[in-house]
Amino acid sequence: MIPEYLYHYYETSNGSFQNITQNGYEKAVKIQGKISEGWNSKRPSNYIELRFALEKRLRDQFISKGGKPTRDDPFYFTLGECKWAKSWYINPGVVKIPLSDFSSEHISFTYPDSMVSFQFNDEPKLATYRKGCNGQVFLLSELSDLISEYGLPSEEKSHAEERLKYDKYIEAQVWDDSIIEAYKAKLNEV
């Protein structure tokens, strides 16, 4: 029942595999300040601080579970297709990569989106949406049990029940450049 592919959505004018935190805090603030259209233009004023803090938590949890990240910031994917994610961008692009291409020591998962998952875990006012899997990082070896217990999130399910409103996908965080660089090279050949 585990989807076979990871999907990376991005703004085509910016190129694929960009992380707002990859070049440090000051540059991230400048980038966020220039986003005036689309979903990402609606982020809260403290988004950059939240993103850096969250990525540290993700990385620390991943390491504590045996992960071996080679980056400080991950590349973000959805586990399986998520058409809703295309709505975040003015001119969306997508890269589809088989999950089997990734090493288990370089990939982690959150249910749902990492920012949402940790907010549900941390904020008492969001208890309506909270699940036992929130605020946690999962390994590839734990995906089957995670999906068995909570189901595979989808846009359709998120519209069916209020408590599932934000459960649109499982997020994958890739903590290594090697597979990404290979796919970037393929994209540049096209």
Side-chain angles (χ1 to χ4, degrees), residues 95-150:
V95 178
K96 178 180 169 183
I97 304 177
L99 179 58
S100 59
D101 282 5
F102 294 95
S103 164
S104 61
E105 63 188 16
H106 296 136
I107 190 168
S108 60
F109 302 88
T110 56
Y111 192 115
D113 174 271
S114 56
M115 187 70 78
V116 171
S117 180
F118 279 76
Q119 285 177 340
F120 288 170
N121 183 68
D122 297 346
E123 296 289 333
K125 66 183 178 185
L126 298 173
T128 300
Y129 306 106
R130 187 176 303 131
K131 294 173 194 55
C133 60
N134 295 144
Q136 296 182 56
V137 166
F138 295 91
L139 303 176
L140 181 58
S141 61
E142 298 172 304
L143 265 185
S144 184
D145 289 341
L146 177 67
I147 293 170
S148 290
E149 185 168 350
Y150 296 99

Side-chain angles (χ1 to χ4, degrees), residues 146-158:
L146 177 67
I147 293 170
S148 290
E149 185 168 350
Y150 296 99
L152 194 60
S154 69
E155 188 167 1
E156 295 77 24
K157 286 182 184 178
S158 74

